[in-house]
Amino acid sequence: MKRYRWLVLFLLLGSCSDPSKFRIEGIVENAKQANIYLDEQGVEAILPVDSVKINKNGSFKFKGENDYPKFYNLHLNDNKILPLLVAPGEKIFIKTDIEKFAKDYTVEGSEGSMQIRLLNDRLADTKKKLDSIRIIYMDPSATREKQNNLSAEYDSIVESQRKFTLEFVLNHLTSIASIYALYQKLDDKTFVLYKNKDIQILKITGAALDTTYPESPHVRALIANASSLEEQVYTSGLRNLIQYADSEFPEIALPNPEGDTIRLSSLKGKVVLLSFWASWDRNSTYFNTYLIELYKQYNSRGFEIYQVSLDYRKEPWIKAIEYEELPWINVSDLKYPESVTAGNYNVQSLPANYLINKSGVIVGKNLSISELNSRIPDMISE
């Protein structure tokens, strides 16, 4: 019996694999025993990882290990790169042809790599449409009216790609694939996310990924880049800032979950905390737990919270309100990141807040719970 117990233990130990190890294998048809290379795509440089000779039947295999998802490039020592996002423990299988190496391939066993494929396919389709419009636009026979229509169509396609990318990022905030999406380009000079307001998305994505993959150089670079871009916009005077206290607030009139429009100005005469949050933001939901206690303590004495959600879908917003039992005024236009309100109040990160006195004057911005606890009682008594 002892011998069998040792055998069972041996088999169990043998079946336990190192969770940091990954495997990449596949078939490249018509490769004729060419060499295939695997590189890691670093932030500032490409780092060679390994190379193998493709077998006669077109098969190849790589093994490696990592502690968090990383970007890799699979190539045949030419400019045709097949991008991958490899997470620890993944067993990836790729099938392609040497003539269509990076354009027509299938990938299995790697969610991140499939997301990269989705992003590239969508962008390639957009570029193809834009190229077609450019050719027609440059035709000498094109009338001015025709060119104007083509310009409008061109802008519409660009905006459609931008909205697709924004939606992808917001739906995958904890995936490194979001970084890939954030830096996609329509051409050598034009990013898909080209508007100043898109800097908010970089910041929010960086904050979300920082809680999941703080050790990733790509995450660290994203956070630094978002901060740098924000500073550039600030110094060039392109931001519409609300940066001074003792100023009246811009009006907000947004619907609550029942569809009733509630104006911020209707609360004049009360001490109001204008709060910005989102159901998908962990820091927001964490801050809400403290706001609930604050609300219970001061609401009956003339304190109100007017909370604007930067959600873009109604169902998660409603569920979050119900789950967290948020008792105050909840409103949203469900248009983030195109929210005019977020732009008017220069919401650059979440959560954010403004403290408004009884006269409707902003007297504080982004205050902590302790700061709110110390200021609200005196304001209520005034």
Side-chain angles (χ1 to χ4, degrees):
M1 288 296 296
K2 289 184 179 180
R3 183 175 60 184
Y4 287 114
R5 283 200 293 269
W6 277 109
L7 178 60
V8 171
L9 179 61
F10 175 80
L11 291 174
L12 287 173
L13 290 174
S15 65
C16 297
S17 58
D18 188 338
S20 67
K21 294 185 182 296
F22 64 83
R23 186 175 73 223
I24 303 171
E25 59 184 341
I27 294 176
V28 182
E29 295 179 347
N30 304 311
K32 298 179 181 178
Q33 293 187 281
N35 288 329
I36 188 167
Y37 301 82
L38 182 68
D39 299 333
E40 180 184 340
Q41 179 64 61
V43 174
E44 297 181 353
I46 297 175
L47 310 173
V49 175
D50 198 2
S51 66
V52 296
K53 185 176 289 293
I54 298 174
N55 296 326
K56 292 181 179 179
N57 62 358
S59 65
F60 68 91
K61 182 186 294 186
F62 289 102
K63 292 182 179 180
E65 58 183 293
N66 51 25
D67 297 322
Y68 50 85
K70 295 182 180 181
F71 294 108
Y72 292 89
N73 296 327
L74 201 63
H75 64 95
L76 302 171
N77 203 24
D78 55 19
N79 294 325
K80 300 175 183 178
I81 293 174
L82 196 158
L84 301 170
L85 175 55
V86 183
E90 288 187 333
K91 298 177 181 178
I92 305 171
F93 184 82
I94 297 163
K95 187 173 182 180
T96 185
D97 185 278
I98 194 167
E99 296 298 327
K100 303 176 181 179
F101 184 75
K103 292 183 178 180
D104 186 10
Y105 65 92
T106 60
V107 56
E108 300 174 358
S110 173
E111 183 177 1
S113 297
M114 289 187 284
Q115 290 170 347
I116 298 298
R117 174 71 195 270
L118 171 68
L119 289 167
N120 283 337
D121 285 352
R122 180 61 165 78
L123 184 61
D125 183 60
T126 293
K127 288 182 175 181
K128 184 177 180 180
K129 291 177 181 177
L130 295 179
D131 287 342
S132 297
I133 291 176
R134 290 191 194 99
I135 293 172
I136 300 173
Y137 186 94
M138 297 304 294
D139 189 329
S141 64
T143 64
R144 176 59 63 184
E145 181 181 3
K146 178 69 172 178
Q147 289 180 327
N148 289 339
N149 291 336
L150 288 169
S151 294
E153 184 181 355
Y154 187 97
D155 292 341
S156 176
I157 293 171
V158 169
E159 185 60 19
S160 176
Q161 175 66 46
R162 177 176 171 271
K163 288 183 176 180
F164 169 84
T165 301
L166 289 172
E167 184 175 351
F168 177 90
V169 172
L170 289 170
N171 284 328
H172 301 86
L173 281 173
T174 57
S175 171
I176 297 288
S178 293
I179 297 179
Y180 193 92
L182 289 171
Y183 291 106
Q184 283 191 304
K185 289 183 175 182
L186 295 169
D187 54 49
D188 291 339
K189 297 181 179 179
T190 310
F191 286 97
V192 170
L193 302 184
Y194 63 93
K195 297 183 179 181
N196 287 325
K197 67 176 69 175
D198 293 337
I199 295 172
Q200 296 180 30
I201 296 297
L202 269 70
K203 290 191 65 177
I204 290 170
T205 307
L209 288 171
D210 190 34
T211 63
T212 311
Y213 304 113
E215 69 275 36
S216 169
H218 287 279
V219 173
R220 307 257 54 83
L222 171 63
I223 294 172
N225 183 230
S227 178
S228 175
L229 288 173
E230 183 183 26
E231 182 63 24
Q232 290 177 35
V233 173
Y234 175 82
T235 56
S236 62
L238 295 178
R239 287 196 306 183
N240 176 24
L241 286 175
I242 298 172
Q243 55 183 333
Y244 302 107
D246 302 326
S247 60
E248 292 190 1
F249 58 78
E251 177 65 295
I252 302 176
L254 293 175
N256 65 9
E258 290 73 36
D260 300 321
T261 297
I262 301 178
R263 292 183 174 275
L264 179 59
S265 59
S266 68
L267 302 176
K268 200 166 184 178
K270 294 185 176 183
V271 175
V272 179
L273 182 69
L274 170 59
S275 169
F276 292 89
W277 78 301
S279 66
W280 44 261
D281 180 68
R282 294 180 183 177
N283 292 330
S284 295
T285 55
Y286 178 75
F287 195 71
N288 277 348
T289 60
Y290 293 98
L291 287 183
I292 289 174
E293 296 304 315
L294 194 77
Y295 188 81
K296 290 179 180 178
Q297 187 173 358
Y298 298 115
N299 176 244
S300 61
R301 298 167 56 186
F303 171 67
E304 187 56 75
I305 296 177
Y306 185 97
Q307 190 165 64
V308 180
S309 167
L310 299 189
D311 280 86
Y312 55 97
R313 290 185 296 174
K314 187 173 183 178
E315 185 178 355
W317 173 48
I318 301 298
K319 285 185 177 180
I321 293 173
E322 294 174 349
Y323 179 77
E324 296 183 33
E325 299 181 349
L326 305 182
W328 46 71
I329 297 170
N330 292 280
V331 298
S332 179
D333 58 10
L334 299 175
K335 294 181 179 179
Y336 191 78
E338 304 297 334
S339 172
V340 174
T341 301
N344 287 343
Y345 279 86
N346 187 40
V347 178
Q348 297 295 321
S349 60
L350 295 176
N353 65 65
Y354 291 86
L355 186 60
I356 303 170
N357 68 15
K358 294 179 180 180
S359 300
V361 176
I362 296 173
V363 296
K365 175 181 178 181
N366 291 336
L367 303 177
S368 66
I369 292 296
S370 61
E371 289 172 324
L372 291 169
N373 263 314
S374 65
R375 297 186 63 172
I376 289 174
D378 291 339
M379 294 173 64
I380 291 174
S381 301
E382 290 178 354

